Amino acid sequence: MLKDTRFIFVTGGVVSSLGKGIASASIGSLLESKGYTVTVIKLDPYFNVDPGTMSPFQHGEVFVTEDGTETDLDLGHYERFINHKCTKENNFTAGKIYYSVLRKERKGEYLGKTVQVIPHITDEIKRKIIKGSKGYDIAIVEIGGTVGDIESQPFIEAIRQLGLELKNYQTSFIHLTLVPFLKNAGELKTKPTQHSVKEYRSLGVQPDILICRSDIKLPQESKEKIALFCSMPSNAVISLPDLETIYEVPLALDEEGIDKIITDKLQLEKNKPNLSAWKKVVKRKIKPSKSVNVSFVGKYVDLKDAYFSLTEALDHAGINNDTRVNINFVNSDELNNKNYSSKLKKSDAILVPGGFGVRGIEGMILAAKYAREKKVPYFGICLGLQIAIIEIARNLCGLKDANSTEFKPRTKHKVISLITEWKNEDGSIEKRDKNSDKGGTMRLGAQKAKLKKNSLAHKLYKKTNIFERHRHRYEVNPEYVSELEKKGLLISARSEIHNLVEIIGMKDHPWYLGCQFHPEFTSKPKTGHPLFNDFIKTAVKLKR
């Protein structure tokens, strides 16, 4: 354990979505492979308290941590690249910062002072950064958005102050920028990067390292030009071109010598990173010997970031099965009784993911029906489990009006419902206020479930008790379970609290599994996840 925690501050310029999160996670994996304990903290400049109630089309996926915090999808990158479980200390927004400061002001904690951005907001940002870094050798702090945005200025000012307050060897500033390649001119243009660094320096921060994103690898001439105009050595200008897979990024950064620069600046041990595991992952990803087609039937498929952890988990399963997973994104809105068979007929497997709201639900039910009837491997996650229950209730139990009260509040057969709306098997009524704040009705974070012995899930997990992460409001209604079981439904796991249905299966089906939790949040490229791994393994085995 280092005596003084080191801090690496990662910012972006020119445009957003350049991959700051993946770069931060990759740097973390390099340092972790050298034997250091690493945490990564994401600072988001928007005023929402958290992304939990934001549309996936606005913000992409909401990643849920072990402790139930709804966070930015970049925390998924951190957990996939680093052996570290994030908590509420790893992500905070401008909204959370201002909310905290205003609560203190209302309580009189500022003793009548005028509350201002400097020092009160910046001090709160610094306090949270220091708190989140406790117990780690190195804290990587990523600031969302781009340098020059009005809303990010207090965050830039806070890290500028930390650069002055901490010892020189404790801080390093990395700036990620775009170097566009103009195909018509056949040239790389360095001017956007020069202007971005100029803007960053005008805020009082001189970057130690520039990571330059581009279509192609930067030639030495371009590096020297950027270094000259940005007042830094040319070896600190790191080229990061587009790669075949994001899991090549740690290897690419290491090849560019970023480890040596960080090691010298932060006075770390000069041992080299051990990247053998990443090399194996990349080799399996790029040159698989098999392939499989998975139909991904969801309602947010027009924005791939809405399902980032899910698509990565499928990728991990492919890597661990030496298989290329070809994902066919199917908009559930577009499925109907006339076309669903033709749209799904080339599926080696079908996955129905989570989601909220009634849009696209009937299309998902048709996908579940197709998978059950055609014996195609089916994986229903969160909402996907509930879809499976509705489909079985309608088509096997004859409950034509079966539905979730989320989609049809006055449905006759409430096979999926809020806990407030039905009794337990012992007659007791659970209390969960559906009129409270969004999230007040949520089951969030890792919760314990007990697996039924000899079930598919038990065989895959190879243990009786599991902890998996949840993010949902509605549950399987226990009043209908016995009726569903008579038609072949298998209950493979129940929650420790309230005995709620956690995993389902089906008799006489090669691979049919629905889970109420989100296993994708704990999948990693080096190991995958037992459910995803076997889903893809079976799909390959049964491939038509």
Side-chain angles (χ1 to χ4, degrees):
M1 180 74 187
L2 294 172
K3 182 181 177 182
D4 298 316
T5 298
R6 306 319 199 247
F7 294 86
I8 298 173
F9 299 105
V10 180
T11 54
V14 185
V15 294
S16 60
S17 301
L18 286 176
K20 293 191 300 297
I22 292 169
S24 299
S26 298
I27 292 166
S29 71
L30 291 176
L31 295 170
E32 186 180 65
S33 74
K34 287 163 65 76
Y36 295 105
T37 57
V38 180
T39 187
V40 191
I41 302 169
K42 176 70 184 290
L43 284 57
D44 282 306
Y46 53 76
F47 274 83
N48 302 68
V49 173
D50 63 45
T53 57
M54 293 170 71
S55 165
F57 291 113
Q58 285 277 313
H59 190 263
E61 171 188 83
V62 174
F63 185 83
V64 179
T65 59
E66 196 99 328
D67 63 358
T69 306
E70 295 176 294
T71 69
D72 185 82
L73 63 81
D74 277 330
L75 272 74
H77 297 316
Y78 307 159
E79 288 203 5
R80 286 187 282 272
F81 279 75
I82 305 169
N83 294 316
H84 165 58
K85 290 181 179 178
C86 295
T87 69
K88 62 183 179 182
E89 308 296 347
N90 291 88
N91 185 212
F92 55 91
T93 67
K96 194 170 286 185
I97 293 293
Y98 279 80
Y99 184 61
S100 177
V101 169
L102 289 171
R103 286 179 67 191
K104 289 180 181 180
E105 187 273 333
R106 288 292 84 192
K107 291 179 181 178
E109 292 185 25
Y110 296 116
L111 301 175
K113 293 179 181 176
T114 301
V115 179
Q116 297 175 292
V117 173
I118 302 172
H120 301 99
I121 296 297
T122 50
D123 282 355
E124 185 68 12
I125 294 169
K126 290 188 291 181
R127 185 186 70 78
K128 284 190 173 288
I129 290 173
I130 297 299
K131 184 181 178 184
S133 70
K134 292 293 183 185
Y136 294 94
D137 292 322
I138 299 166
I140 299 171
V141 182
E142 178 197 347
I143 298 178
T146 55
V147 166
D149 295 342
I150 291 173
E151 58 264 32
S152 67
Q153 287 183 3
F155 292 92
I156 302 297
E157 174 58 21
I159 65 171
R160 183 193 72 82
Q161 291 177 19
L162 281 173
L164 296 173
E165 294 166 8
L166 297 170
K167 300 181 182 79
N168 184 54
Y169 64 79
Q170 279 186 271
T171 61
S172 178
F173 295 87
I174 297 177
H175 192 53
L176 195 78
T177 72
L178 176 68
V179 181
F181 178 73
L182 301 186
K183 291 182 180 179
N184 289 342
E187 291 181 318
L188 285 164
K189 291 298 181 182
T190 64
K191 195 65 73 178
T193 290
Q194 294 175 42
H195 281 295
S196 182
V197 174
K198 180 183 177 182
E199 178 73 27
Y200 199 20
R201 293 173 71 188
S202 75
L203 298 173
V205 183
Q206 168 65 43
D208 300 301
I209 298 170
L210 273 181
I211 298 178
C212 298
R213 292 282 291 110
S214 55
D215 292 339
I216 60 174
K217 193 175 180 68
L218 261 64
Q220 187 61 30
E221 181 186 358
S222 295
K223 287 186 177 184
E224 289 173 359
K225 182 178 180 181
I226 290 169
L228 176 65
F229 284 100
C230 296
S231 299
M232 58 199 309
S234 60
N235 71 327
V237 179
I238 305 295
S239 175
L240 186 58
D242 292 344
L243 303 167
E244 284 191 62
T245 170
I246 59 173
Y247 302 119
E248 283 186 275
V249 175
L251 304 176
L253 291 178
D254 183 59
E255 189 179 321
E256 284 285 297
I258 197 169
D259 169 59
K260 184 180 186 307
I261 304 167
I262 293 173
T263 294
D264 291 345
K265 179 66 172 69
L266 300 182
Q267 296 182 14
L268 304 175
E269 291 290 331
K270 297 188 184 296
N271 59 317
K272 291 186 176 181
N274 180 3
L275 300 175
S276 56
W278 284 115
K279 290 175 182 177
K280 289 179 182 177
V281 166
V282 170
K283 183 179 179 181
R284 288 177 182 173
K285 167 64 181 170
I286 293 176
K287 296 180 179 179
S289 63
K290 295 165 282 189
S291 67
V292 73
N293 300 315
V294 176
S295 287
F296 191 112
V297 185
K299 58 168 68 183
Y300 312 123
V301 294
D302 291 336
L303 180 70
K304 303 302 185 289
D305 274 0
Y307 298 116
F308 202 96
S309 289
L310 265 172
T311 55
E312 288 303 294
L314 288 169
D315 227 9
H316 303 163
I319 289 167
N320 284 275
N321 281 288
D322 190 26
T323 300
R324 184 182 308 282
V325 179
N326 302 312
I327 302 175
N328 173 33
F329 288 98
V330 180
N331 191 329
S332 59
D333 258 351
E334 297 174 1
L335 290 183
N336 56 53
N337 283 310
K338 293 180 179 179
N339 68 12
Y340 79 97
S341 290
S342 61
K343 284 184 176 288
L344 298 173
K345 68 179 180 181
K346 294 183 180 179
S347 308
D348 297 317
I350 293 172
L351 185 145
V352 175
F356 296 93
V358 69
R359 184 178 63 81
I361 293 303
E362 294 302 322
M364 293 180 180
I365 292 170
L366 288 171
K369 178 175 183 283
Y370 182 90
R372 179 180 57 79
E373 292 180 343
K374 301 294 184 182
K375 307 295 185 186
V376 175
Y378 176 82
F379 198 177
I381 295 175
C382 195
L383 174 61
L385 174 146
Q386 298 173 8
I387 290 296
I389 292 290
I390 295 169
E391 190 277 320
I392 293 166
R394 287 183 185 179
N395 298 314
L396 292 184
C397 299
L399 306 176
K400 297 303 180 185
D401 193 43
N403 216 323
S404 167
T405 54
E406 179 183 5
F407 316 133
K408 191 176 180 182
R410 295 185 180 181
T411 186
K412 182 179 179 181
H413 297 291
K414 302 175 181 181
V415 293
I416 305 293
S417 183
L418 280 175
I419 285 181
T420 50
E421 297 171 331
W422 40 257
K423 296 179 181 179
N424 280 327
E425 291 170 342
D426 63 2
S428 63
I429 299 176
E430 296 296 340
K431 298 294 182 184
R432 194 183 288 186
D433 186 8
K434 62 183 178 181
N435 296 316
S436 61
D437 290 346
K438 298 291 186 188
T441 55
M442 281 271 199
R443 268 217 285 162
L444 280 169
Q447 296 187 13
K448 186 178 180 181
K450 187 173 183 178
L451 302 178
K452 186 176 181 179
K453 287 187 178 180
N454 299 321
S455 65
L456 173 62
H458 186 260
K459 291 174 183 176
L460 297 180
Y461 278 102
K462 295 181 171 61
K463 53 187 174 183
T464 302
N465 296 312
I466 59 170
F467 287 87
E468 292 281 14
R469 302 180 195 182
H470 291 253
R471 184 177 182 253
H472 61 98
R473 296 188 182 91
Y474 292 79
E475 310 285 355
V476 176
N477 188 337
E479 293 181 0
Y480 288 89
V481 168
S482 61
E483 190 172 354
L484 292 163
E485 286 180 319
K486 290 175 184 176
K487 296 298 181 180
L489 183 75
L490 301 171
I491 305 299
S492 306
R494 288 182 177 273
S495 64
E496 183 179 53
I497 301 173
H498 304 318
N499 203 36
L500 302 169
V501 173
E502 291 278 23
I503 302 178
I504 64 168
M506 275 296 287
K507 290 179 181 178
D508 303 321
H509 195 287
W511 207 99
Y512 190 101
L513 191 144
C515 55
Q516 191 59 80
F517 48 82
H518 289 271
E520 69 271 22
F521 290 151
T522 52
S523 177
K524 292 179 180 288
K526 297 174 186 176
T527 56
H529 185 284
L531 299 186
F532 283 96
N533 289 353
D534 200 63
F535 177 58
I536 295 303
K537 179 182 178 181
T538 305
V540 171
K541 183 180 178 182
L542 300 176
K543 187 176 178 181
R544 302 169 188 183

